[in-house]
Amino acid sequence: MDKPVLLLLTTKPWMQYVDNLNQAAFASADRLGARLIIRATYIADDPATVRCEEDAAVAMARQWLDSGSIQGVLLASNLLDHFPDTRLQERFCDLLAPHPVISFGLACPGTSSVVTDNRQPMRELTLHLIDMHACRTFWHILGPSGTGEIQDRSLGFHDACRMRKIPPDQVKTASGEFSFQFGKNVVTAWIEEGRPLPDAVCCACDEIAMGACAALADHGVEVPGRVRVTGYD
């Protein structure tokens, strides 16, 4: 019997975070006896160009779906996150019908979705830094701005700061990519600007955290002796 074939639609495949998701999806499909095909499309960050990129993604998906070889579609959150509002997300999913569609990482209206709680774990992690390690000043390094996962992680971090009355001026924030290099670049720039070292660097993912650790080590800063660094995932 032929294996069922699933199509995973994603974007920005060069990012370590996306590669991790792809590898996990491959492993899960193989374990379930299915074949997984990954197709990536570039979704522009400029909202003015999202519509044409959306059409390109749909055309790519429909080419595979119309061939009759695909039994279902998986949508990665990093693809859906680039649509400006839930109406466009829902329209995108509708265009892929009547094939079964599942979104993972982001709840999409009208579509079966697999999501995790990003807010509470980040809140608990930040409270641990404050309560158990007496951290009062933070560098908070996030991934791509506007994505649902990052918004929730940021909300969790700020929940904890409000709960423990950490003044906003004790938090320095940057948004960018889920990557080692981004974390390293941000921390390097802030150190070389002469900013006072924080008690903790709280990062939105492990790749960013590893980059932050590398930058601190390059400047002779001991982790966790002088600065504590946390990741996520």
Side-chain angles (χ1 to χ4, degrees):
M1 181 177 178
D2 291 339
K3 288 184 175 183
V5 181
L6 306 176
L7 177 64
L8 169 60
L9 289 177
T10 184
T11 187
K12 296 185 178 179
W14 60 87
M15 294 176 62
Q16 183 63 49
Y17 168 75
V18 177
D19 183 62
N20 291 345
L21 289 178
N22 292 348
Q23 293 301 322
F26 263 125
S28 296
D30 183 66
R31 194 162 54 247
L32 296 171
R35 179 183 170 215
L36 183 71
I37 297 173
I38 296 178
R39 288 294 177 266
T41 181
Y42 176 71
I43 301 294
D45 291 323
D46 180 2
T49 65
V50 163
R51 181 55 182 271
C52 66
E53 298 291 349
E54 173 198 3
D55 292 342
V58 169
M60 177 181 63
R62 291 312 295 257
Q63 179 181 357
W64 284 88
L65 295 176
D66 292 343
S67 71
S69 61
I70 303 296
Q71 281 76 54
V73 183
L74 304 173
L75 298 177
S77 62
N78 66 335
L79 180 73
L80 290 174
D81 260 326
H82 283 271
F83 297 133
D85 55 50
T86 56
R87 179 185 58 82
L88 281 178
Q89 294 173 2
E90 191 170 1
R91 175 178 176 272
F92 181 77
C93 293
D94 287 344
L95 287 170
L96 299 175
H99 293 78
V101 178
I102 293 178
S103 164
F104 66 90
L106 180 71
C108 185
T111 299
S112 297
S113 305
V114 178
V115 297
T116 59
D117 183 351
N118 285 280
R119 186 169 182 168
Q120 181 177 344
M122 184 61 85
R123 179 170 61 242
E124 294 300 322
L125 173 61
T126 308
L127 287 173
H128 176 82
L129 290 171
I130 296 170
D131 294 343
M132 302 303 295
H133 301 288
C135 295
R136 303 293 296 177
T137 58
F138 294 89
W139 288 352
H140 187 37
I141 309 179
L142 301 169
S145 61
T147 65
E149 292 168 306
I150 291 304
Q151 288 175 348
D152 286 346
R153 293 175 194 181
S154 181
L155 286 171
F157 172 82
H158 288 288
D159 286 345
C161 289
R162 282 192 298 272
M163 290 169 66
R164 296 299 185 263
K165 296 180 171 53
I166 302 295
D169 63 3
Q170 298 303 300
V171 178
K172 174 68 177 173
T173 303
S175 298
E177 292 189 346
F178 285 126
S179 71
F180 175 96
Q181 196 60 51
F182 175 67
K184 184 175 183 179
N185 290 347
V186 169
V187 172
T188 296
W190 287 348
I191 291 175
E192 294 181 354
E193 287 172 6
R195 295 182 181 276
L197 289 173
D199 296 327
V201 181
C202 194
C203 304
C205 77
D206 291 342
E207 285 80 9
I208 294 175
M210 288 187 288
C213 287
L216 290 166
D218 287 347
H219 290 81
V221 180
E222 185 181 352
V223 176
R226 172 58 184 86
V227 175
R228 297 184 185 275
V229 178
T230 62
Y232 197 100
D233 290 333

